[in-house]
């Protein structure tokens, strides 16, 4: 099952709200409030997690398929555009070495003899 820390979720939602109009609070022609940025982010993440189609959200949240699809598209694009430089970059040699150290500390390398440098 997919879990996302609340702090990370809120950070993503706030970044998307400031970047895309679809995630900003709006009112329809009748003056009724539309879905919040948090609701739209929840829908988009649910669609990614479950692999469901956007029309399945209509039964769940009473959200039109178009709104759900647009939220999913903007969330995916927004995460890449907003956080891509930091989190989606090619790892450096130092990054890879740190990953190896952490992995070895956590899991070890069964059958590996450091003195001989082989199995």
């Amino acid at each position: 099952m997919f879990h996302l820390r609340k702090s990370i979720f809120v950070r993503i939602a706030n970044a998307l709200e400031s970047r895309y109009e679809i995630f900003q609070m709006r009112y329809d022609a009748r003056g009724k409030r539309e879905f919040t940025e948090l609701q739209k982010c929840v829908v988009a993440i649910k669609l990614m997690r479950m692999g469901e189609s956007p029309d399945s959200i209509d039964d769940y949240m009473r959200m039109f398929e178009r709104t759900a699809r647009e939220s999913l598209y903007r969330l995916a694009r927004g995460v890449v555009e907003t956080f891509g430089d930091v989190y989606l970059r090619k790892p450096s040699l130092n990054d890879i070495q740190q990953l190896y150290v952490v992995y070895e500390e956590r899991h070890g390398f069964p059958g590996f003899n450091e003195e001989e440098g082989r199995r």
Side-chain angles (χ1 to χ4, degrees):
M1 181 154 231
F2 178 78
H3 295 282
L4 185 64
R5 284 190 202 149
K6 182 180 177 180
S7 61
I8 294 172
F9 174 78
V10 170
R11 184 175 174 204
I12 291 170
N14 289 338
L16 295 174
E17 181 184 21
S18 67
R19 188 174 199 124
Y20 296 106
E21 186 178 326
I22 189 172
F23 288 104
Q24 296 169 1
M25 180 55 67
R26 297 186 301 186
Y27 293 86
D28 65 13
R30 299 174 295 165
K32 291 185 83 177
R33 189 179 81 176
E34 292 183 354
F35 291 98
T36 67
E37 80 277 3
L38 296 176
Q39 290 170 315
K40 291 176 183 177
C41 285
V42 165
V43 164
I45 291 171
K46 182 180 186 309
L47 289 173
M48 283 191 290
R49 182 189 76 196
M50 301 300 286
E52 296 178 4
S53 65
D55 67 339
S56 67
I57 298 301
D58 186 32
D59 296 335
Y60 173 64
M61 288 188 68
R62 313 294 287 161
M63 181 184 286
F64 287 118
E65 177 183 358
R66 180 178 179 202
T67 304
R69 185 183 305 112
E70 183 70 16
S71 297
L72 174 61
Y73 174 77
R74 292 291 176 198
L75 177 97
R77 187 168 190 84
V79 167
V80 170
E81 289 176 355
T82 306
F83 303 106
D85 292 342
V86 176
Y87 299 108
L88 300 177
R89 62 180 170 74
K90 185 176 178 181
S92 68
L93 182 58
N94 186 42
D95 293 336
I96 294 171
Q97 289 172 339
Q98 287 177 351
L99 288 171
Y100 279 134
V101 168
V102 170
Y103 184 85
E104 187 174 358
E105 287 173 359
R106 191 173 289 168
H107 304 288
F109 291 104
F112 184 78
N113 186 337
E114 285 186 17
E115 294 171 3
E116 297 176 18
R118 57 187 161 88
R119 290 181 182 255

